[in-house]
Amino acid sequence: MELLDLIRKRKSVRSFQDKKIPENMLTQVLEAGRLAPSAVNYQPWCFIVIDDKEMLDGLYQSYPRDWFKTVPQVIVICGNHKESWKRSNDRKDHCDIDVAIATDHITLMATYLGFSTCWVCNFEPTIVRELLSLPAHLEPIVLLPIGFASEEQTIEKKKRKELNQVLFINNIDTSLKENE
Ligand SMILES: Cc1cc2nc3c(=O)[nH]c(=O)nc-3n(C[C@H](O)[C@H](O)[C@H](O)COP(=O)(O)O)c2cc1C
């Protein structure tokens, strides 16, 4: 599959069949996350696979949406703030960026193998922290349901800004300056 076709194919799916993906396939998906680039190659992440019914119910409490109740497997992607690179001049923490790249690798690999995912960040982190007994430096950043979509997936045209709305050469558009 061409890379652009794969990128076009990946979409957020919010309806899953009640079955887990095979363990060797999940390993391949997570391998794509493991290989992601990160600032100074610190790899400040961990991937926690949740597939136990009680644990999934616990996660649901952090994101109580009907569709989320039925997901068979969730990868909780955590950022490790003890390990992440902080830029020397302003201490900007690059943890979120690194976790986002790893997550994107995971979603694309899942798509490549025929599975579906949906980024979820709008959850209550205190509930996830408590459920997984996470220490303070491990931040749950993304809940990523993964599985078989319950309907056949079609490739739809993405609702995205046009390239000429976001691409500037040598300068930015005056309208962007007005938003300051
Ligand atoms: C950082 C991030 C956070 C997101 N959080 C949620 C979320 O909490 N719940 C949800 O249903 N979708 C969430 N999404 C999915 C977006 O709504 C979705 O990616 C966007 O609408 C584009 O659609 P597509 O993924 O199908 O291309 C999130 C996506 C990203 C990248």
Side-chain angles (χ1 to χ4, degrees):
M1 201 185 302
E2 294 282 342
L3 182 57
L4 258 185
D5 290 339
L6 181 69
I7 289 168
R8 285 198 182 96
K9 189 175 173 205
R10 187 221 51 84
K11 64 178 180 182
S12 297
V13 165
R14 299 178 180 88
S15 177
F16 291 89
Q17 295 177 37
D18 184 21
K19 64 174 179 186
K20 294 172 192 168
I21 70 176
E23 204 179 314
N24 62 330
M25 299 290 223
L26 185 60
T27 305
Q28 283 190 55
V29 168
L30 293 171
E31 176 69 356
R34 186 183 77 84
L35 293 174
S38 58
V40 201
N41 201 19
Y42 283 163
Q43 306 156 60
W45 49 58
C46 68
F47 314 128
I48 308 172
V49 176
I50 305 295
D51 60 4
D52 171 83
K53 185 80 190 75
E54 257 181 47
M55 293 295 283
L56 288 167
D57 285 348
L59 274 188
Y60 167 74
Q61 302 306 318
S62 78
Y63 187 68
R65 306 289 187 280
D66 284 350
W67 72 267
F68 195 69
K69 204 171 202 156
T70 61
V71 301
Q73 264 168 321
V74 177
I75 307 168
V76 179
I77 301 160
C78 296
N80 185 334
H81 290 277
K82 259 192 192 169
E83 292 183 344
S84 57
W85 181 65
K86 286 89 189 171
R87 186 162 53 197
S88 45
N89 50 358
D90 62 0
R91 306 300 299 159
K92 178 184 163 72
D93 187 345
H94 284 57
C95 201
D96 280 351
I97 298 175
D98 292 339
V99 163
I101 297 167
T103 306
D104 206 45
H105 275 211
I106 288 170
T107 62
L108 288 174
M109 188 65 188
T111 306
Y112 181 73
L113 294 173
F115 306 121
S116 294
T117 57
C118 183
W119 284 72
V120 171
C121 295
N122 189 20
F123 59 90
E124 177 48 58
T126 52
I127 295 178
V128 178
R129 279 188 173 288
E130 197 177 321
L131 182 72
L132 298 172
S133 308
L134 297 177
H137 64 277
L138 275 190
E139 179 190 358
I141 296 179
V142 186
L143 305 184
L144 194 77
I146 183 166
F148 297 88
S150 57
E151 288 154 24
E152 194 169 325
Q153 295 303 297
T154 52
I155 300 178
E156 292 144 23
K157 191 172 177 338
K158 293 236 169 256
K159 288 185 201 137
R160 297 292 192 263
K161 293 176 183 173
E162 294 302 328
L163 193 56
N164 65 12
Q165 293 177 278
V166 295
L167 169 68
F168 309 100
I169 314 273
N170 294 325
N171 205 341
I172 57 165
D173 193 85
T174 44
S175 62
L176 285 177
K177 292 182 183 164
E178 282 160 17
N179 286 339
E180 276 180 0

